[in-house]
Amino acid sequence: MSMSILIADDDPVIRRLFEKRLIDEGYIVRVAVDGVEAAGILAQSHFDVVITDLVMPGDVGGIELLTIAKDKDPLTEVIVITAHSSIDTAVDAMKKGAVDYLEKPVNFDELFLRLEKIAQLKSLVKNADDLRNAMDVTESSAARTIQDLEITVADLQLKLDRIEEILCGDGHDLQDKVDAITSIIHR
């Protein structure tokens, strides 16, 4: 599964490095020069992962972009990267839904490992959804089959009751009883 990734970083060197390395690994990549542009791109397109710098110029920083991405699609995973690491900032990002928090310079082997874990998790979620949908269809089909069988059983019970009345009743000769029973069976 090739994931789509949005990269938001105001540093053109970092953007280009991320873009090249991720494309070389087979990811579908789009870049934004800042949080404002990234927010606009997110409004128009879906991404599996957003990788955002924590500190960017303008009104939309990394934490704000994280919130925007999660509000649009809670299944979009966000990785926050920063050169200005602090425990408080990392905790804040994770509380707001970041899947990970990496320090610059980013170790790409570590990033690729984390992206692979995200891909595996998304695959498991998709498989679980597919299984849930298949179970819903099977359950619905089984319910219809059971309802049809209940109707058939009730119909057969009525026929048996009527046949029993004919067989136990007086006043009909044998041929009339056979004809009446045959008529009930073929209805």
Side-chain angles (χ1 to χ4, degrees), residues 8-117:
D9 198 306
D10 58 310
D11 184 330
V13 174
I14 300 276
R15 267 196 324 271
R16 181 66 186 128
L17 178 62
F18 268 88
E19 182 179 31
K20 180 173 180 358
R21 292 294 305 267
L22 291 168
I23 287 172
D24 288 349
E25 289 294 316
Y27 295 103
I28 300 162
V29 178
R30 183 131 179 229
V31 294
V33 300
D34 59 25
V36 173
E37 183 181 2
I41 292 170
L42 277 172
Q44 301 298 318
S45 304
H46 166 80
F47 292 91
D48 296 305
V49 179
V50 174
I51 299 174
T52 182
D53 190 9
L54 178 66
V55 179
M56 292 182 284
D59 293 335
V60 181
I63 296 296
E64 292 82 12
L65 189 59
L66 162 65
T67 302
I68 290 166
K70 286 297 194 177
D71 285 348
K72 181 178 184 234
D73 183 356
L75 297 179
T76 296
E77 299 296 354
V78 180
I79 298 173
V80 176
I81 56 172
T82 186
H84 314 287
S85 179
S86 79
I87 298 292
D88 291 340
T89 310
V91 168
D92 186 38
M94 300 301 264
K95 280 182 179 177
K96 291 188 172 155
V99 71
D100 221 326
Y101 186 91
L102 300 174
E103 290 184 52
K104 290 180 182 178
V106 171
N107 176 331
F108 278 93
D109 290 334
E110 185 178 337
L111 175 63
F112 295 146
L113 187 65
R114 291 177 184 187
L115 289 172
E116 181 58 33
K117 295 282 185 203

Side-chain angles (χ1 to χ4, degrees), residues 88-181:
D88 291 340
T89 310
V91 168
D92 186 38
M94 300 301 264
K95 280 182 179 177
K96 291 188 172 155
V99 71
D100 221 326
Y101 186 91
L102 300 174
E103 290 184 52
K104 290 180 182 178
V106 171
N107 176 331
F108 278 93
D109 290 334
E110 185 178 337
L111 175 63
F112 295 146
L113 187 65
R114 291 177 184 187
L115 289 172
E116 181 58 33
K117 295 282 185 203
I118 290 170
Q120 289 173 353
L121 180 61
K122 285 185 172 292
S123 178
L124 285 173
V125 168
K126 183 184 180 318
N127 290 345
D129 286 344
D130 290 348
L131 183 58
R132 190 175 304 108
N133 289 339
M135 287 174 53
D136 289 345
V137 168
T138 301
E139 183 178 323
S140 175
S141 177
R144 278 192 308 272
T145 300
I146 289 170
Q147 185 179 21
D148 290 346
L149 288 173
E150 288 173 340
I151 291 169
T152 300
V153 166
D155 185 49
L156 289 173
Q157 186 61 53
L158 287 173
K159 287 181 180 181
L160 285 174
D161 291 346
R162 183 65 187 122
I163 290 170
E164 183 179 22
E165 286 175 15
I166 292 169
L167 289 174
C168 294
D170 293 330
H172 294 288
D173 70 358
L174 185 56
Q175 187 58 45
D176 288 341
K177 287 183 179 183
V178 169
D179 291 342
I181 291 172

